[in-house]
């Protein structure tokens, strides 16, 4: 029931499913019934998402947020009609921008996979509550988002260093690490949300987890290797 519940992934998934536009309606800013002020979260998320859309070549006007009271039916109808006309003018998603449908789908799939990472990196800004529209204009910049995507972090377990102590696998919040006693641990990059926990918990005397910034991850080694059992 709160616009603050609209996750970045929901919006990207709407576009991935072929929606030509997405509209989010929230209560007026400063009039939230709760201490959470979720409508500010929604605004920040939309501003971030619009920059992401620019980054992948989509027109950010396809995403709109407006704040109004539930008693403002006429205003709501006006805004929706206006937005509907605007989206019609922009044309089908991707076509108006000259992006191939399949290329757009794979770009969106890549970004959706990175949503937990993006939310973690931009956590502070996403939770901020600013005073003026000018400040909001600069909350997320185009350059900042380009840099975010060029410096995406990955984590990799160096097979020659891993002692199979299983600490990282136990602490990974999404079960992305496979391994057992006497078996080198491997991170499944498709599941990993890049939280960095494995990097932090791997004992420093082993230092088996490497942080890779903006580069490719070496291919995993799946063959189990016999190692001395670590107690
Ligand atoms: S970075 Fe986080 S999610 Fe990825 S493997 Fe390590 S602990 Fe799991
Ligand atoms: S914590 Fe480090 S040494 Fe232990 S299993 Fe994970 S990567 Fe290997």
């Amino acid at each position: 029931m709160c616009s603050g519940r609209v996750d970045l992934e929901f919006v990207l998934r709407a576009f991935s499913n072929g929606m030509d536009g997405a509209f989010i309606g929230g209560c007026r800013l400063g009039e939230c019934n709760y201490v959470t002020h979720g409508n500010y979260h929604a605004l920040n998320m939309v501003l971030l998402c619009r920059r992401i859309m620019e980054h992948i070549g989509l027109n950010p006007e396809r995403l709109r947020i407006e704040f109004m009271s539930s008693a403002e039916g006429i205003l709501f109808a006006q805004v929706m009609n206006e937005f509907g006309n605007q989206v019609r003018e922009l044309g089908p998603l991707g076509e108006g921008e000259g992006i191939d449908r399949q290329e757009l789908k794979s770009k969106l799939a890549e970004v959706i996979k990175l949503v937990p990472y993006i939310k973690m990196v931009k956590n502070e800004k996403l939770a901020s509550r600013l005073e003026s529209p000018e400040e909001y204009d600069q909350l997320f910049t185009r350059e900042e988002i380009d840099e975010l995507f060029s410096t995406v972090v990955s984590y990799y377990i160096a097979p020659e260093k891993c002692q199979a102590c299983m600490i990282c696998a136990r602490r990974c919040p999404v079960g992305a690490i496979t391994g057992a006693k006497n078996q080198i641990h491997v991170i499944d990059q498709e599941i990993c949300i890049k939280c960095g926990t494995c990097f932090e918990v791997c004992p420093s005397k082993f230092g088996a987890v490497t942080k890779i910034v903006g580069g490719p991850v070496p291919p995993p080694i799946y063959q189990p290797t016999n190692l001395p059992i670590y107690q």
Side-chain angles (χ1 to χ4, degrees), residues 157 161-169 185 201-203 206 208-209:
I157 297 175
K161 292 185 183 170
C162 179
Q163 298 300 307
C165 68
M166 303 200 300
I167 294 173
C168 59
H185 286 42
V201 300
C202 180
F206 305 145
V209 182

